[in-house]
């Protein structure tokens, strides 16, 4: 029997890996040997997180390197206008959003170890083909297919991680792989600068080589991940038998017993669970707040090189100067994610991180001093990226039942990624180098997002109070997030 066949057999008990049932989730089970548990976590962190980080890094490379290619003559060579360029970017987000929920609903059936790497492989091939486009029509079609392929990755990774780690361990792990998104901004600029030297080789322009090299990287990482990524702790071949048993039992224990986990193991798809995810106040409050965050984050990644170039730097200098804000954001993202897990709160952390980005946008929209503008990009990147791990972990923490969690994770991202439509149209070249309108729009969205986060914190607090007062006693024994013993994370 091949290792892959063995992996598939082991994956039949992967329901034992899934989590999030009751309040005990927030603290490690005391009966476990601490040394053994640390060894298990170390192996999971070093064997799974680097693969996810690479996949996510590649997805951001292929999503945003169009901004780097723009600096090297993309628009001029395929004869597209500023508006057509923006349209091509918007089409990406349309198909990206369309693919998120279906992808998460089939993830359990296809298995993560197959689905996630295959997505990366195929979008890598599509990204490479961008290097050979000749017209606006080609540009739109390739961006549409790229969005469809990439759409399932992030919601799939969030759902996958929620079946590996306990509720109180999730934010820092999301922070670790999401840091690769901010690093992509740094490395993308550096690599694009280096790749641009290939311009003219093989009769291809610099911007074409940027797409080809980055796409080849994604396809290679996807192919490699297929052989390395396990379906979960129950099928992780790098765990010894006693380590695998510990990994499974700690997920059972944090759910207050085996009943809830066994229920998810045998859970069948039901539209009622999808409806519970769709008609959930938390989903819409957190997703709407995340919409504002991604509107800023996507516009920041797509247009930062252009913003810096319009400050008077050359294309190559703009690529290099764009590295530093992303590097600072990477450190702050990890620190914020650590604090979120340490204090076991999500929204409260965001109430502190979002004002950093709000301050940056408020200043950069109204100053004409180049050095101050560049300084504000640090605050913008720090506040935006630091807010992502808490908001991504929040819904997953507060959703129990596989298909409800799959729905809420994907729907949150589908709503939030609609911010891509805002991002691609609010920074036209005609408004540079000040971009007052674009910055002001993002400022308003982030401010609204802060109040939405506050509303969700208060809503979760009220539900917890109602459970303590017996108003949810009719759901006792349900073994999902309605159970009175399941405490929502604030």
């Amino acid at each position: 029997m091949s290792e892959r066949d063995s992996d598939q057999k082991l994956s039949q008990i992967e329901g034992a890996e899934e989590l999030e049932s009751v309040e005990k989730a927030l603290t490690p089970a005391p009966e476990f040997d601490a040394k053994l548990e640390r060894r298990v976590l170390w192996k999971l962190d070093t064997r799974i997180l680097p693969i996810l980080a690479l996949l996510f890094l590649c997805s951001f490379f292929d999503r945003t390197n169009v901004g780097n290619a723009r600096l090297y003559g993309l628009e001029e060579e395929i004869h597209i206008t500023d508006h057509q360029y923006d349209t091509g970017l918007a089409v990406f987000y349309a198909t990206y959003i369309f693919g998120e929920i279906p992808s998460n609903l089939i993830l359990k059936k296809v298995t993560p170890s197959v689905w996630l790497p295959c997505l990366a492989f195929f979008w890598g091939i599509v990204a490479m083909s961008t290097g050979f486009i000749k017209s606006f029509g080609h540009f739109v079609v390739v961006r549409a297919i790229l969005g469809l392929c990439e759409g399932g990755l992030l919601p799939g990774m969030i759902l996958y991680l929620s079946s590996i780690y306990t509720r109180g361990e999730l934010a820092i792990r999301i922070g670790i792989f999401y840091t690769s998104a901010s690093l992509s901004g740094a490395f993308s600029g550096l690599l694009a600068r280096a790749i641009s030297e290939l311009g003219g080789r093989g009769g291809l322009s610099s911007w074409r080589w940027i797409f080809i090299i980055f796409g080849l990287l994604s396809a290679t990482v996807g192919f490699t991940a297929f052989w390395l990524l396990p379906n979960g702790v129950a099928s992780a071949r790098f765990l010894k038998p006693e380590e695998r048993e510990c990994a499974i039992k700690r997920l059972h224990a944090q759910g207050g017993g085996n009943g809830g986990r066994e229920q998810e193991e045998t859970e069948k798809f039901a539209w009622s669970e999808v409806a519970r995810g769709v008609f959930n106040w938390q989903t819409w409050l957190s997703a709407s707040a995340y919409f504002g965050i991604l509107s800023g984050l996507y516009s920041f990644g797509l247009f930062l090189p252009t913003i810096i170039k319009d400050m008077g730097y050359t294309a190559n200098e703009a690529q290099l100067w764009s590295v530093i804000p992303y590097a600072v954001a990477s450190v702050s993202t990890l620190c914020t994610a650590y604090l979120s897990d340490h204090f076991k709160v999500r929204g409260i952390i965001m109430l502190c991180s979002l004002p950093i980005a709000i301050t940056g946008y408020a200043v950069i929209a109204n100053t004409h001093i180049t050095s101050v503008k560049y300084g504000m990009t640090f605050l913008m990147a720090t506040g935006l990226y630091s807010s992502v791990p808490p908001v991504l972990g929040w819904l997953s923490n507060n959703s129990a039942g596989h298909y409800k969690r799959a729905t809420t994770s994907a729907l949150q991202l589908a709503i939030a990624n609609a911010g891509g439509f805002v991002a691609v149209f609010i920074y036209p070249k005609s408004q540079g180098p000040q971009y007052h309108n674009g910055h002001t729009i993002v400022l308003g969205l982030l401010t609204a997002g802060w109040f939405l986060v506050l509303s969700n914190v208060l809503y979760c607090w009220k539900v917890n109070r109602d459970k303590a007062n017996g108003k949810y006693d009719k759901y006792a024994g349900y073994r999902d997030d309605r159970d009175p013993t399941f405490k929502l994370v604030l």
Side-chain angles (χ1 to χ4, degrees), residues 20 27 32 39 50-51 59 66 76 87 101 133 140 144 191 237 247 260 324-326 330 334 347 374 438 465 482:
E20 304 162 8
T27 55
F32 292 125
R39 189 164 71 243
I51 298 174
S59 76
V66 66
E76 293 79 5
T87 300
I101 294 178
I133 60 175
V140 169
L191 290 175
R237 294 188 296 272
I324 308 175
Y326 285 112
S330 300
L334 291 177
Y374 183 65
R465 186 189 62 178
R482 294 170 292 186

Side-chain angles (χ1 to χ4, degrees), residues 175-257:
I176 289 172
F177 84 73
Y178 207 89
T179 296
S180 63
S182 54
L183 287 176
S184 76
F187 288 120
S188 180
L190 290 173
L191 290 175
R193 170 66 182 87
I195 295 171
S196 68
E197 297 299 322
L198 293 175
R201 302 286 181 89
L204 299 176
S205 306
S206 296
W207 67 267
R208 295 185 183 276
W209 279 112
I210 289 174
F211 286 122
I212 293 170
I213 298 299
F214 279 125
L216 179 62
L217 174 63
S218 295
T220 302
V221 170
F223 179 80
T224 305
F226 178 80
W227 304 103
L228 299 178
L229 194 67
N231 283 320
V233 293
S235 60
R237 294 188 296 272
F238 53 80
L239 293 176
K240 296 178 181 178
E242 67 272 16
E243 295 170 341
R244 185 179 296 114
E245 182 180 4
C246 173
I248 295 173
K249 284 186 175 180
R250 63 194 293 271
L251 297 178
H252 279 289
Q254 59 98 47

Side-chain angles (χ1 to χ4, degrees), residues 122-200:
F122 286 117
W123 91 57
I125 299 299
V126 174
M128 287 177 63
S129 68
T130 313
F132 302 96
I133 60 175
K134 302 292 185 181
S135 66
F136 171 63
H138 295 166
F139 182 55
V140 169
V141 170
V142 170
R143 294 294 295 181
I145 300 174
L146 182 65
L148 190 63
C149 293
E150 283 199 27
L153 181 70
L154 182 55
M157 289 199 300
I158 299 299
L159 185 59
Y160 175 60
L161 284 176
S162 72
S163 71
I164 300 290
Y165 296 100
T166 63
R167 295 170 77 198
E169 298 165 347
L170 196 56
I172 184 62
R173 272 74 190 186
I174 293 175
I176 289 172
F177 84 73
Y178 207 89
T179 296
S180 63
S182 54
L183 287 176
S184 76
F187 288 120
S188 180
L190 290 173
L191 290 175
R193 170 66 182 87
I195 295 171
S196 68
E197 297 299 322
L198 293 175

Side-chain angles (χ1 to χ4, degrees), residues 90-149:
V91 167
F92 169 89
Y93 291 108
T95 55
Y96 187 99
I97 292 167
F98 177 78
E100 289 181 303
I101 294 178
S103 176
N104 249 24
L105 293 179
I106 67 173
L107 181 68
K108 186 176 182 180
K109 183 71 174 178
V110 181
T111 72
S113 66
V114 174
W115 187 243
L116 299 180
C118 283
L119 288 176
F121 179 80
F122 286 117
W123 91 57
I125 299 299
V126 174
M128 287 177 63
S129 68
T130 313
F132 302 96
I133 60 175
K134 302 292 185 181
S135 66
F136 171 63
H138 295 166
F139 182 55
V140 169
V141 170
V142 170
R143 294 294 295 181
I145 300 174
L146 182 65
L148 190 63
C149 293

